[in-house]
Amino acid sequence: MDDQQVLLGISRSDMLARIERCGRDPAMLDLGSNMLLHFAYEYLPDPPVSPTAPLSLAGASWVPDGVDRISRLPDELLRDIISRLPAKDAARTAALASRWRPLWRSAPLTLVDSHLLPDGGASGPLIIGAPSPRAVTGAVSSALAAHPGPFSCVHFTCSTMDEHRGEMAHWVDTLVAKGVQDLVFVNRPWPIDLRLPATLFSCASLTRLYLGVWTLPGTTAVPRGASFPNLRELGLCMTVMEDRALAFLLERSPVLEFLLIMWSQTGARLRLVSHSLRCLQLGYTHLKDIEVVDAPRLERLFLRNVSLPGTGKFTINSPSRIKIGGAPNLRVLGYIQPGQTELGISNTVIVAGSKENIVPSVQILAIDVQFGIRNAVKKVPGFLRCFPKLETLHVYSPPIPEKSTGKVNLKFWEEGGPMKCMVQSMKKVFFYEFQGSRSEVAFLKFIAERGRVLELMVVVVAKACFSSVDDDVNVKLKPLTGAKWSSKACKLQIIESPRTDVAGPLCRHNIVSDFGWADPFDLRYYYKAERISVSYS
């Protein structure tokens, strides 16, 4: 049993007693909770309203003719104004004039519990580990009771639900009855496996749902006929779930387009069957198997530190098993670790050079390669051959370990056999956190000398390359800049990385799900960094 599973079902008081018996500081528990919830909060969407937003007329001290023209606007427009205010401000509009008094009760309301804190949520969520103020719980209950609905958006993130189980269950019943559309519902541990009320599964009005630190109810507890007919976005953060519960969610969400699973607490099998899903994000997730069975609209598959069953670890090198079957429109895939990720196509594990095991639809690929570990680099050629129509390649190079297990030179790549994508389709290459090793230079030089249609190569040089006065980036890159480039039109850009603390690929989960970004891995953040002068002679 791994460390995560040990925590399930244990109360806060029992965990504190356990820590004290081991002679450790009880404050470690709050520190651990802080770390866990930090990840959950990071992946939650922001509320659409803010109590700290500036008012455009805040400085106005007069009205030219003293006439209240705003109150003369149609009811529909005034309700729209009210629905864009935090709940407390929306209720206060009733004091403006008799014209406004009935309007807030008929306007779709946005209710964010952190806005009910003394500072209005200006400092963010509560200090993790501290008990939530009962005044907030009471205010939430009052707001839900006073407003007849609908609730366009509700964010509950700062209440310890175990301390308010009765109120929490009533909140869910009320939200279902009053037609909540956008719901973020997070339990603040402990316990970290509190069971989510099954009545939530009968909320047909939901269009977006994010759940954090809950145990999903078993399918037998869910009301018969329950479904999410309008749900387009689903986020599961630090949840405990059975295989069937996850499959049930997908089955009952016929228009779901975006699915996020982060920090799942227990192992589950994801067997993806969805005719609507366009984007799947998985990360820090203890999944036994990931199998894309039938997902004809899936365009993006993003993975981050997916763990191997049985290890209970979430290191950057954690292997995972992924099978890609019915995903004919998959365009974007990453971050993948060749040699660490067992990738299957049509239920067959990829074998280098096999013509049958290819993903012809993928155009943008992001990989994580340990260039200081020979066995990891050896997997790259066979891996790239699986993507014959690849146009853009993103490569993240983690810090090379002190005990390197072998270097790879240019001869290795030349003897590795042809890679169709490199010769015929690859137009852009982005190489992040370049360390200056010969293995990295050999890889980049091989691409430069084989890429016939290459248009752009961007090399982001790690801060570590500038740690010594003897280090000269120009010298380290000279084999690349002096190479016989196959594409004379290709531009080489050398950029100094702005990152000082590198703990993995720089990627933004909200960009991955934003289809306005054609390439979600092409981070403009790097382009703002300092350009390095490179000599080509």
Side-chain angles (χ1 to χ4, degrees):
M1 182 178 293
D2 59 48
D3 292 341
Q4 279 193 311
Q5 293 173 327
V6 169
L7 299 178
L8 302 182
I10 299 178
S11 67
R12 177 180 172 85
S13 59
D14 288 344
M15 198 65 193
L16 283 170
R18 211 182 255 195
I19 291 174
E20 290 176 350
R21 284 196 301 270
C22 295
R24 298 181 179 179
D25 186 351
M28 290 179 60
L29 182 59
D30 287 345
L31 182 62
S33 298
N34 194 333
M35 184 180 296
L36 290 173
L37 284 181
H38 168 76
F39 283 100
Y41 287 135
E42 181 183 354
Y43 286 90
L44 299 179
D46 294 326
V49 300
S50 171
T52 60
L55 300 176
S56 59
L57 297 178
S61 59
W62 56 276
V63 178
D65 53 8
V67 177
D68 179 9
R69 290 186 172 84
I70 294 180
S71 293
R72 295 181 175 181
L73 295 173
D75 286 0
E76 182 179 356
L77 187 55
L78 293 179
R79 291 191 187 98
D80 185 60
I81 293 173
I82 293 172
S83 68
R84 297 172 186 270
L85 297 173
K88 290 173 68 173
D89 293 332
R92 287 170 180 158
T93 60
L96 294 176
S98 58
R99 173 82 169 78
W100 290 78
R101 287 170 191 166
L103 291 176
W104 88 274
R105 288 176 52 83
S106 59
L109 196 65
T110 295
L111 179 59
V112 181
D113 61 356
S114 63
H115 293 172
L116 305 177
L117 295 170
D119 66 351
S123 59
L126 287 172
I127 298 174
I128 299 173
S132 59
R134 180 162 287 278
V136 172
T137 305
V140 168
S141 296
S142 297
L144 290 175
H147 197 278
F151 287 92
S152 59
C153 180
V154 173
H155 283 219
F156 292 158
T157 62
C158 68
S159 292
T160 306
M161 299 298 180
D162 188 44
E163 297 178 4
H164 311 289
R165 293 198 183 200
E167 295 100 320
M168 179 262 293
H170 183 65
W171 291 351
V172 173
D173 292 342
T174 303
L175 291 172
V176 172
K178 295 184 178 181
V180 64
Q181 298 172 11
D182 184 338
L183 176 61
V184 176
F185 200 35
V186 178
N187 168 45
R188 299 174 62 85
W190 293 73
I192 64 174
D193 60 341
L194 192 64
R195 189 166 293 276
L196 183 72
T199 50
L200 182 62
F201 281 70
S202 59
C203 190
S205 58
L206 280 169
T207 58
R208 180 164 72 171
L209 175 63
Y210 277 75
L211 300 172
V213 202
W214 293 101
T215 292
L216 299 185
T219 54
T220 56
V222 175
R224 182 175 297 180
S227 66
F228 295 121
N230 300 299
L231 189 65
R232 296 187 177 276
E233 185 174 340
L234 174 63
L236 303 174
C237 304
M238 294 178 61
T239 55
V240 180
M241 54 188 172
E242 300 174 354
D243 299 353
R244 180 56 189 162
L246 183 55
F248 178 87
L249 277 171
L250 294 174
E251 291 171 5
R252 303 303 176 91
S253 304
V255 298
L256 187 68
E257 294 185 352
F258 172 60
L259 174 63
L260 166 73
I261 303 177
M262 300 298 297
W263 281 92
S264 65
Q265 296 186 42
T266 53
R269 292 177 173 84
L270 174 58
R271 191 173 183 272
L272 185 60
V273 178
S274 172
H275 287 187
S276 59
L277 197 68
R278 299 180 64 197
C279 180
L280 172 62
Q281 281 200 59
L282 305 168
Y284 306 104
T285 299
H286 190 74
L287 291 172
K288 294 178 180 178
D289 287 296
I290 303 168
E291 184 177 2
V292 181
V293 179
D294 185 15
R297 295 193 65 201
L298 184 65
E299 298 177 45
R300 299 183 175 187
L301 175 55
F302 178 80
L303 304 102
R304 187 171 183 177
N305 296 12
V306 181
S307 74
L308 178 68
T311 66
K313 298 180 180 179
F314 296 89
T315 63
I316 198 163
N317 293 320
S318 296
S320 58
R321 290 190 293 268
I322 308 166
K323 296 179 181 179
I324 300 177
N329 288 307
L330 184 62
R331 300 282 187 270
V332 181
L333 179 63
Y335 263 92
I336 303 291
Q337 297 170 300
Q340 295 291 335
T341 301
E342 183 182 306
L343 181 63
I345 308 299
S346 300
N347 301 325
T348 302
V349 175
I350 289 179
V351 179
S354 172
K355 295 182 180 180
E356 292 76 23
N357 295 321
I358 61 174
V359 191
S361 60
V362 171
Q363 298 174 351
I364 300 171
L365 175 68
I367 59 177
D368 179 339
V369 182
Q370 281 274 10
F371 282 90
I373 300 177
R374 186 177 178 84
N375 286 338
V377 181
K378 285 170 61 177
K379 301 291 184 179
V380 174
F383 195 85
L384 291 180
R385 273 193 286 271
C386 299
F387 308 99
K389 295 185 180 180
L390 186 65
E391 296 182 359
T392 302
L393 175 65
H394 296 268
V395 183
Y396 166 69
S397 177
I400 296 175
E402 294 182 4
K403 294 183 178 179
S404 180
T405 58
K407 299 176 181 179
V408 173
N409 56 24
L410 183 61
K411 184 178 179 181
F412 162 80
W413 295 102
E414 292 173 341
E415 294 178 347
M419 284 174 263
K420 186 176 180 180
C421 65
M422 198 168 292
V423 176
Q424 297 184 5
S425 62
M426 194 177 296
K427 298 178 181 179
K428 298 179 182 179
V429 174
F430 297 84
F431 195 99
Y432 304 103
E433 303 305 322
F434 174 82
Q435 311 292 316
S437 74
R438 293 181 180 178
S439 296
E440 293 173 316
V441 173
F443 174 70
L444 291 172
K445 184 177 181 181
F446 179 74
I447 295 177
E449 295 183 344
R450 294 296 187 280
R452 295 178 183 174
V453 296
L454 198 62
E455 299 173 355
L456 175 66
M457 178 181 288
V458 178
V459 180
V460 182
V461 182
K463 289 285 187 182
C465 272
F466 303 91
S467 60
S468 170
V469 293
D470 296 328
D471 288 340
D472 187 339
V473 174
N474 283 328
V475 172
K476 291 178 178 179
L477 286 170
K478 189 172 182 179
L480 175 62
T481 57
K484 296 180 180 180
W485 290 66
S486 178
S487 173
K488 304 303 180 183
C490 181
K491 295 181 180 179
L492 173 63
Q493 296 180 2
I494 312 296
I495 297 174
E496 179 181 350
S497 173
R499 303 179 70 187
T500 55
D501 183 15
V502 182
L506 182 62
C507 43
R508 299 173 183 173
H509 67 93
N510 55 329
I511 291 180
V512 172
S513 59
D514 184 354
F515 283 85
W517 289 75
D519 182 352
F521 302 111
D522 182 3
L523 298 177
R524 307 302 167 90
Y525 173 77
Y526 278 111
Y527 289 103
K528 297 178 182 179
E530 182 179 350
R531 188 69 57 84
I532 299 172
S533 176
V534 177
S535 173
Y536 290 85
S537 59

